Amino acid sequence: MIRRHNDCFNKYSFSVGVFDEAQMIKNLFSGRSAAVRKLDIDFKLTLTGTPIENHLGEFFSIIDFTIPGLLKSYKHFQKSTKKQLEDNDLSY
């Protein structure tokens, strides 16, 4: 709904935004993710039972939406997690 009516939602500022089923914005490069990132929200709460379904990038997308910059850039996150997985002899 936000993606389809983004121009309407972008007219407003919100104090709080609660996003249930936040795995719906797991693709950092999707139109849905881009639409919610354009919203002006002071405090965001994201809820999900499945923060990772396919790869760690999905976790990054949800966290970066909720608290932008916490995990630094996506490129930095990829390098960091890949190194940690290699150091622990885990597959990426």
Side-chain angles (χ1 to χ4, degrees):
M1 186 168 119
I2 291 174
R3 184 174 51 137
R4 282 182 297 199
H5 304 289
N6 200 253
D7 55 337
C8 181
F9 282 104
N10 284 333
K11 293 177 184 177
Y12 302 97
S13 294
F14 301 93
S15 296
V16 177
V18 179
F19 295 83
D20 192 12
E21 301 296 339
Q23 73 273 10
M24 299 296 285
I25 59 168
K26 68 183 181 183
N27 182 343
L28 187 60
F29 307 105
S30 72
R32 181 181 296 146
S33 185
V36 296
R37 288 171 187 279
K38 290 178 185 176
L39 297 173
D40 182 14
I41 306 171
D42 294 331
F43 177 81
K44 300 171 205 157
L45 177 66
T46 50
L47 307 163
T48 180
T50 51
I52 302 170
E53 291 182 277
N54 301 305
H55 56 84
L56 291 172
E58 297 171 346
F59 177 74
F60 176 87
S61 180
I62 294 167
I63 297 300
D64 191 61
F65 167 69
T66 309
I67 308 170
L70 179 70
L71 301 175
K72 300 186 181 177
S73 71
Y74 184 54
K75 189 174 184 176
H76 176 269
F77 178 78
Q78 286 178 307
K79 283 182 182 179
S80 176
T81 54
K82 185 174 182 178
K83 174 142 178 45
Q84 288 176 17
L85 291 171
E86 288 171 351
D87 290 350
N88 291 305
D89 201 23
L90 302 170
S91 62
Y92 190 74

